[in-house]
Amino acid sequence: MTATESNGLVCFTNCLLPQEDGSLVEKDLWIDQWRGVILDAQKTFFIRKERPSTIIDLGGNILSPGFIDIQINGGFGFDFSVYEGDDQTYRDGLKLVAERIVETGVTALVPTIITQEKSLYPKLLDLLRPWSPPNAAHLLGWHAEGPFLEMSKRGAHSPPLIISALEGFKTFESIYGAENLAEEEEWFASVENDNVGVRIITAAPEVEGVMEAIRETSKRGICFNIGHSMATTDVATAAVRNGARCITHLFNAMPQLHHRDPSIIGLLGASPYMYSTFLPFPSVIVSALKATIPSLPSTKEPLPLSIGHISEAFDEIETPPQTPILLAEQAHKKRRLPTGKSVASTTAITPVPLESRQSTQGEQKSSVSTMPFDRPFYELIVDGIHIHPNSVRLAYSAHPDGCILITDAMKILDPHLKDGIHDWRDGRRLYKEGDKLYVEGTTTLAGSVITLDKCVRNFVRYTGCSIGEAIKCATYNPARCLGVENKKGTLRAGADADLVVLDHQGSVISTWVKGKIVWRRI
């Protein structure tokens, strides 16, 4: 081989490689540029008896797997949820986002669509089949967020479009299109020129028919996410046992942490073995209390404009505090009925003999299950706006292996977009101030514009973790959640050579897709 010939082998040297445990190791990495895959250096040399014709010295920087964003609503002026009747225009928009987003270190993304008109789902999900435009990030498939959501936690989803799944999985098929929910092998057979494809559905497990649909959804290779939900701990736990794998934008559009029923958030602290239902009071007392305390009426009225907002994950609808089981009897003595009448505080409750209480506790102990329980993955929007840094650290400390960084970014996402007023939709305009977006003339927040590389940097600051551990949350963890870790989000031999070169602060220097450089910082 002459000096001008290339054998397609590239060796990255003088670099730090993130490992799947979050550590960084100083080591060379070989790739095959022609095939676009990562190689086992020793095995390749033994078989081919040749060394890479191209050596790239990275000057001690980090060579990471490319970032994966599994929840993003659009970017660079294109909204994945907007279809204007022309397939080519929609595909052009997808291509634009895939080409531009690589400068943020993202080499794979899952376009997310929010609640739509029923007739649009089959068309949009078909257009969102896996696709890899040249010199651009991989479009891995689709994430359907809605329409099976809890009304009181709907966020910015349109109320008239939110529905229940009366016939379970059959309703899922009628809405999303049976062909889009086909068995994994059948669905993947229709994917052209790609070797990875994913599907995600976010729904509220307490909505009628959803729980029974989870098992079939998961069986077909579709990742089920719990989100926009008021699920109690028991319901959320049952959803995970039925196959739910992830929690959509943790802390947002769900009940907040309560010590007696931690709800969806509490899954991060779940025991590795399932226990019986938690009861802070003997069951007979709980039954008696329930019989004397009326349920609170829920309201669908939005929050006052002074604190309202229209961010997809941010928007909250006022609902009564979720008080699982019951607090103490005293907490309800002054509760008033809608008519204004007080609930009697002197309601008689028959004392429970000690023997009965001991019997009840004994029954609970005997019903403890030893069935292993795998905690779900969970998404975090680490922009310093959607979640307080302390909450980010709390979640990560509880379950580091399940943490996935996302942007949940809007169509206005663009790292070069200057602060100021920008057009949005329906004649409305936005005011951008750093990573914050406001509806013009208000203090109403309008979603996320943070990039995933900045989420990684923020995550290091908020949690005190290493840069390698933060990278894991944007690469290996999302890949593992979606079951594609042999091809994406890793530096394993045989994986796609989708790479991002970072400095030690986590800023992007260059991005590579399938072994070819697609963006370089000037």
Side-chain angles (χ1 to χ4, degrees), residues 62-190:
I62 299 167
L63 180 61
S64 167
F67 298 153
I68 304 171
D69 194 346
I70 69 171
Q71 184 156 354
I72 175 171
N73 303 294
F76 307 97
F78 184 72
D79 190 330
F80 298 134
S81 294
V82 176
Y83 176 71
E84 298 178 334
D86 184 79
D87 290 7
Q88 189 56 52
T89 298
Y90 191 85
R91 296 269 290 184
D92 289 345
L94 292 174
K95 184 171 179 286
L96 170 69
V97 176
E99 289 173 340
R100 295 285 305 278
I101 204 166
V102 293
E103 69 176 280
T104 69
V106 172
T107 58
L109 65 149
V110 185
T112 303
I113 59 172
I114 63 171
T115 301
Q116 299 286 317
E117 293 282 353
K118 295 179 183 179
S119 60
L120 280 179
Y121 278 106
K123 166 60 72 175
L124 281 175
L125 299 188
D126 183 64
L127 287 170
L128 287 172
R129 287 176 182 270
W131 180 34
S132 295
N135 303 314
H138 304 279
L139 297 154
L140 295 180
W142 50 261
H143 182 165
E145 191 178 9
F148 307 104
L149 310 178
E150 168 58 46
M151 183 67 76
S152 65
K153 291 295 180 182
R154 66 182 181 268
H157 295 249
S158 177
L161 302 180
I162 293 173
I163 60 175
S164 58
L166 296 177
E167 297 183 85
F169 188 74
K170 286 185 179 179
T171 305
F172 276 34
E173 288 185 310
S174 69
I175 296 298
Y176 298 130
E179 66 282 1
N180 294 314
L181 301 186
E183 294 282 354
E184 189 169 20
E185 289 185 7
E186 181 184 343
W187 177 75
F188 202 76
S190 63

Side-chain angles (χ1 to χ4, degrees), residues 176-447:
Y176 298 130
E179 66 282 1
N180 294 314
L181 301 186
E183 294 282 354
E184 189 169 20
E185 289 185 7
E186 181 184 343
W187 177 75
F188 202 76
S190 63
V191 176
E192 299 179 6
N193 304 320
D194 218 320
N195 59 358
V196 175
V198 303
R199 297 169 289 176
I200 306 172
I201 292 174
T202 288
E206 75 274 19
V207 168
E208 185 177 2
V210 170
M211 184 68 80
E212 62 186 87
I214 296 175
R215 192 177 299 278
E216 183 62 28
T217 299
S218 302
K219 195 171 82 173
R220 298 190 180 205
I222 301 167
C223 180
F224 185 93
N225 282 21
I226 300 170
H228 291 272
S229 169
M230 282 288 289
T232 62
T233 299
D234 288 345
V235 171
T237 300
V240 174
R241 292 185 67 178
N242 279 348
R245 284 186 60 78
C246 189
I247 301 170
T248 291
H249 44 57
L250 188 76
F251 296 111
N252 293 281
M254 63 185 62
Q256 295 312 292
L257 193 67
H258 189 285
H259 61 289
R260 291 210 178 108
D261 186 342
S263 185
I264 301 164
I265 299 171
L267 292 174
L268 274 62
S271 166
Y273 295 97
M274 292 304 301
Y275 285 84
S276 59
T277 302
F278 168 73
L279 290 175
F281 309 110
S283 58
V284 289
I285 291 182
V286 172
S287 298
L289 284 171
K290 283 183 175 179
T292 64
I293 299 171
S295 59
L296 286 173
S298 63
T299 174
K300 297 177 183 178
E301 294 301 316
L303 286 171
L305 286 177
S306 61
I307 56 172
H309 33 64
I310 52 178
S311 166
E312 201 287 326
F314 231 130
D315 202 30
E316 296 287 350
I317 305 304
E318 188 174 13
T319 54
Q322 183 175 343
T323 309
I325 313 298
L326 292 170
L327 290 176
E329 180 187 4
Q330 291 79 4
H332 300 287
K333 286 184 178 180
K334 296 183 180 180
R335 181 178 287 172
R336 294 184 176 274
L337 295 169
T339 60
K341 297 180 180 179
S342 297
V343 177
S345 61
T346 57
T347 304
I349 298 177
T350 305
V352 182
L354 179 61
E355 311 86 71
S356 298
R357 278 180 272 174
Q358 290 173 337
S359 174
T360 301
Q361 292 166 359
E363 290 172 6
Q364 289 178 348
K365 287 181 181 179
S366 66
S367 66
V368 171
S369 169
T370 56
M371 180 184 295
F373 181 75
D374 291 327
R375 291 177 291 176
F377 291 89
Y378 59 95
E379 303 173 349
L380 292 178
I381 309 170
V382 190
D383 59 358
I385 303 165
H386 282 80
I387 314 172
H388 191 279
N390 291 2
S391 298
V392 172
R393 188 166 190 249
L394 184 68
Y396 182 66
S397 298
H399 186 20
D401 288 339
C403 182
I404 297 173
L405 304 184
I406 62 166
T407 63
D408 200 21
M410 309 287 277
K411 64 173 280 187
I412 203 169
L413 169 72
D414 184 342
H416 303 290
L417 194 66
K418 295 181 179 179
D419 287 355
I421 296 173
H422 303 277
D423 290 332
W424 189 28
R425 63 164 72 147
D426 303 326
R428 289 180 291 177
R429 299 198 299 176
L430 299 174
Y431 177 74
K432 178 180 180 294
E433 182 183 8
D435 290 329
K436 296 180 181 178
L437 275 181
Y438 301 96
V439 176
E440 183 188 14
T442 75
T443 57
T444 300
L445 285 164

